[in-house]
Amino acid sequence: MSLIKIMVNDIEIDFVKETLSIKKENNALSRDFKVSHSSFPFLIIENGNAKRALGTRDLASVNKIRTIAVSVFEGGKRYTGELQILSYLNGFRKCNLKYASSLLSIMNKKISEFMPIVSVIPGETNPVPFSEKSKIPVAGSNNWASYPNAFIDKTFPEVKFQFPKMKYANKFGENMVYPDTWFFYMGFINNYDDIGFIENSYVISSGICEVRNKNVAAPQLYLLSPLYYVLQSVGFSMDGSFLNSEFIKRLLIYSTKNNMTQTYVSKDSGIFSFPPLNFTTLYDESGDVIYSYYFSENEIVTNIAGLYTFEYEFEESSFDFDASLIGEVSFQIYLFGGDIYNIFLHASNSGSQTYKGTISIDVSPDQVGDRIFIKYYSPKSNVSPYSINKNIHYNEEYYQMHPTINLGRYVPDWTFSTYLNALQNMFNLEINIDDFSKKMTLNFNEEEISSGEKIILKKSLAITSYEQSPSDAFLLKYENSEDVALWITKDAAETYSIQASDFVERFDNKFKFVPTGYTAELSEVLDSKSGVGLMIYDPVYGPYTVNNYLGQTLKIEGSKGIYEVFWRKFIKFLLNGSPVEMSGPFTESELNQILNLKRIFVDNQEYIIANLEYSETQQNNFEVKFSLKSVTF
């Protein structure tokens, strides 16, 4: 009986067992996700099952590579896989196989695709989409006054994002003078006072609008939130020492995005109607009548600069043409000396018409005092009643806190795979996926390296190769070259400057260090550095970020820095351990015991399994080849 079953639509595929060799990787020692796969092409038996599951081998299929989705059962676990048909032989099909968790299908999707959209408006289920600019203010922004206050004392998983108060002194420039747009800015992102979250506002007095842009609303996601939302979307849960760490639960991803919308304050000038229609006649130079018409005119004197908006909606009934009268209904709005907007030209042969729309006229400061004309011309003495709503939008820029938060804007532009690798390379993780329980487990390698389930192999294995450690130094660093990095050898861990080695291994992560005083210190220098910033948020000191939690920091260096907490023991193991390859025969039950293990004892020496490769023999047992690394501290 084969340890592997390959199923297509509940049909088991028969194959020559001796030709299939499977290679499995240990994610604890890999800096990237690897799928289990056949080491070289194997043979599927051409029988009824193969034809029903894979299709007939007609001429149209010859020399074409076909990839078929399969389910793979191995050691009591089910995986999602791909079977690639390479060629057709007499009585067989030559194929390749690779398989992994069903999560493989979403690994290349952007994490932003999984993030929800929320509203600060209570009970809002269909929020207005966020936009960076809006012609008029969006309703609901007043809810920002209380919304962030409910987050201050919470961490992940109770809330998925936070509003930390962060210092950014010169975000909008230095030495601002009134009436600069951000003259009232107070030097902080997500600023609070004794009452709560500070809102932006404006005051209109004597036709003058004063805008007070004081604060910038910028939600910051907890580091674990993207993982939560991605796994939730496919029905998976998450567990492990990484997820349960109180330090990790307090980490925020720094995003330079904000939730501000540039708009303009509007003043509702009310609704007005036209005066009664007057009758007039248009003559040519000889005094002859050209045509007669009814008309009504209204005018508005512009007393402030800004955007004047006219909203209209009314219906015009059909009318019969009279050669002695003007032949159409005309409606116009225009600024003196400016473009004439013909809102409509309603001809007599076009039947009844409904009109609805908005006209905007931008009045510059040197046009204040000019007139805006609204004119109506008609061959009829009686028209449908209508009115126009006028609003004036001041030219002063008002930065409104938009009531809709699109959380996808606040995550890095990473795929799910990139995100997982970033976590793994920063915090030294082992990531395992169980499709049966639909759970992803993330554990610290630093804890696992000296513990974990192991088995003593009471048999001798043939040593096929033995090497010294391939690395004599490790470089642990953030993505950029400005933040402090560590050069680690068997003898010491020291600040990296010009050290070099032909046998160095780099552990670059995709993050960067955010300097923190009494809260995060943001700047253009920080924003320009490569990497995604991380911050620590401790509700005890909320709404401020902190430089440590129980002494633990985000610095690479230091007694409770990234190296000492997450990497020291593991890198020592890598520096001292020797790669060894061994092979030998195993029964099915013996192989089942070690398939999901990460460590074994052979001849009183402990090894961590980097990968193993196995194939079935004609004697109904398995030849297993191990790539091991000795555990030596």
Side-chain angles (χ1 to χ4, degrees), residues 189-259:
I189 308 296
N190 295 325
N191 202 0
Y192 299 77
D193 58 19
D194 294 338
I195 299 175
F197 203 68
I198 296 174
E199 291 186 283
N200 295 343
S201 62
Y202 58 87
V203 175
I204 299 175
S205 178
S206 301
I208 298 174
C209 178
E210 181 183 78
V211 171
R212 296 172 181 175
N213 296 312
K214 299 179 179 179
N215 197 4
V216 177
Q220 307 290 299
L221 276 154
Y222 278 105
L223 176 65
L224 296 177
S225 294
L227 183 64
Y228 168 83
Y229 285 119
V230 173
L231 294 180
Q232 181 192 55
S233 73
V234 290
F236 270 67
S237 62
M238 55 188 189
D239 199 3
S241 57
F242 177 67
L243 283 305
N244 296 322
S245 165
E246 291 300 322
F247 177 74
I248 300 299
K249 289 178 184 179
R250 285 164 167 74
L251 298 187
L252 295 172
I253 302 171
Y254 168 54
S255 172
T256 59
K257 299 285 187 180
N258 61 59
N259 228 69

Side-chain angles (χ1 to χ4, degrees), residues 36-318:
S36 300
H37 61 278
S38 53
S39 300
F40 43 81
F42 68 103
L43 298 179
I44 284 180
I45 300 171
E46 187 65 53
N47 57 18
N49 281 355
K51 292 175 182 178
R52 287 194 301 273
L54 308 178
T56 60
R57 45 188 296 157
D58 53 39
L59 291 176
S61 297
V62 176
N63 297 325
K64 290 184 178 179
I65 295 176
R66 298 182 60 201
T67 300
I68 298 171
V70 299
S71 295
V72 176
F73 292 84
E74 177 194 54
K77 292 187 176 182
R78 178 185 180 276
Y79 299 92
T80 299
E82 288 182 352
L83 183 69
Q84 185 183 55
I85 302 175
L86 301 177
S87 62
Y88 297 87
L89 307 176
N90 186 20
F92 304 97
R93 304 188 191 195
K94 184 183 288 187
C95 300
N96 278 333
L97 175 69
K98 63 178 181 179
Y99 58 96
S101 163
S102 58
L103 293 182
L104 187 64
S105 62
I106 63 170
M107 285 295 179
N108 290 326
K109 290 187 176 182
K110 295 289 184 70
I111 56 176
S112 58
E113 298 178 28
F114 300 92
M115 306 305 292
I117 295 173
V118 298
S119 176
V120 302
I121 303 172
E124 177 61 72
T125 58
N126 187 28
V128 176
F130 172 82
S131 59
E132 293 184 352
K133 292 186 178 182
S134 176
K135 288 185 177 180
I136 59 175
V138 182
S141 66
N142 58 303
N143 289 280
W144 275 98
S146 59
Y147 186 77
N149 298 342
F151 290 73
I152 291 176
D153 61 345
K154 296 178 175 62
T155 61
F156 184 90
E158 188 174 4
V159 294
K160 305 303 184 290
F161 52 97
Q162 186 56 262
F163 298 91
K165 181 175 180 177
M166 302 175 291
K167 185 178 180 180
Y168 202 142
N170 298 320
K171 180 173 178 59
F172 301 105
E174 301 180 49
N175 303 317
M176 288 184 290
V177 296
Y178 185 82
D180 286 347
T181 300
W182 285 97
F183 175 76
F184 291 97
Y185 173 65
M186 305 168 74
F188 292 91
I189 308 296
N190 295 325
N191 202 0
Y192 299 77
D193 58 19
D194 294 338
I195 299 175
F197 203 68
I198 296 174
E199 291 186 283
N200 295 343
S201 62
Y202 58 87
V203 175
I204 299 175
S205 178
S206 301
I208 298 174
C209 178
E210 181 183 78
V211 171
R212 296 172 181 175
N213 296 312
K214 299 179 179 179
N215 197 4
V216 177
Q220 307 290 299
L221 276 154
Y222 278 105
L223 176 65
L224 296 177
S225 294
L227 183 64
Y228 168 83
Y229 285 119
V230 173
L231 294 180
Q232 181 192 55
S233 73
V234 290
F236 270 67
S237 62
M238 55 188 189
D239 199 3
S241 57
F242 177 67
L243 283 305
N244 296 322
S245 165
E246 291 300 322
F247 177 74
I248 300 299
K249 289 178 184 179
R250 285 164 167 74
L251 298 187
L252 295 172
I253 302 171
Y254 168 54
S255 172
T256 59
K257 299 285 187 180
N258 61 59
N259 228 69
M260 309 304 292
T261 295
Q262 179 190 358
T263 186
Y264 297 90
V265 178
S266 64
K267 175 184 178 183
D268 188 352
S269 296
I271 298 174
F272 64 92
S273 302
F274 279 108
L277 295 177
N278 295 309
F279 184 80
T280 189
T281 300
L282 182 64
Y283 299 92
D284 61 17
E285 293 179 355
S286 302
D288 295 327
V289 174
I290 300 176
Y291 51 75
S292 300
Y293 58 92
Y294 295 90
F295 75 98
S296 179
E297 293 182 343
N298 210 331
E299 64 181 48
I300 299 165
V301 178
T302 60
N303 54 11
I304 63 170
L307 191 69
Y308 288 65
T309 300
F310 300 87
E311 299 174 353
Y312 59 89
E313 181 177 5
F314 52 88
E315 181 178 334
E316 287 291 341
S317 60
S318 60

Side-chain angles (χ1 to χ4, degrees), residues 436-450:
F436 272 166
S437 62
K438 298 183 77 67
K439 179 183 292 185
M440 176 181 282
T441 304
L442 300 92
N443 287 314
F444 293 114
N445 270 332
E446 193 73 351
E447 298 173 2
E448 296 291 313
I449 196 68
S450 55

Side-chain angles (χ1 to χ4, degrees), residues 65 69 78 112 118 129 133 169 229 287 303 326 366 368 412 430 438 466 512 526 529-531 551:
I65 295 176
R78 178 185 180 276
S112 58
V118 298
K133 292 186 178 182
Y229 285 119
N303 54 11
I326 189 173
D366 60 357
V368 172
E430 177 188 2
K438 298 183 77 67
Y466 177 85
K512 64 182 174 184
L526 172 66
K529 284 198 304 187
S530 169

Side-chain angles (χ1 to χ4, degrees), residues 7-64:
M7 308 287 292
V8 180
N9 297 326
D10 296 326
I11 300 173
E12 183 175 355
I13 304 299
D14 299 311
F15 56 90
V16 181
K17 298 173 183 178
E18 296 82 7
T19 65
L20 179 60
S21 180
I22 296 296
K23 188 171 186 178
K24 300 179 69 67
E25 303 279 351
N26 180 355
N27 284 328
L29 300 183
S30 172
R31 297 297 99 195
D32 203 351
F33 285 98
K34 302 287 179 63
V35 298
S36 300
H37 61 278
S38 53
S39 300
F40 43 81
F42 68 103
L43 298 179
I44 284 180
I45 300 171
E46 187 65 53
N47 57 18
N49 281 355
K51 292 175 182 178
R52 287 194 301 273
L54 308 178
T56 60
R57 45 188 296 157
D58 53 39
L59 291 176
S61 297
V62 176
N63 297 325
K64 290 184 178 179

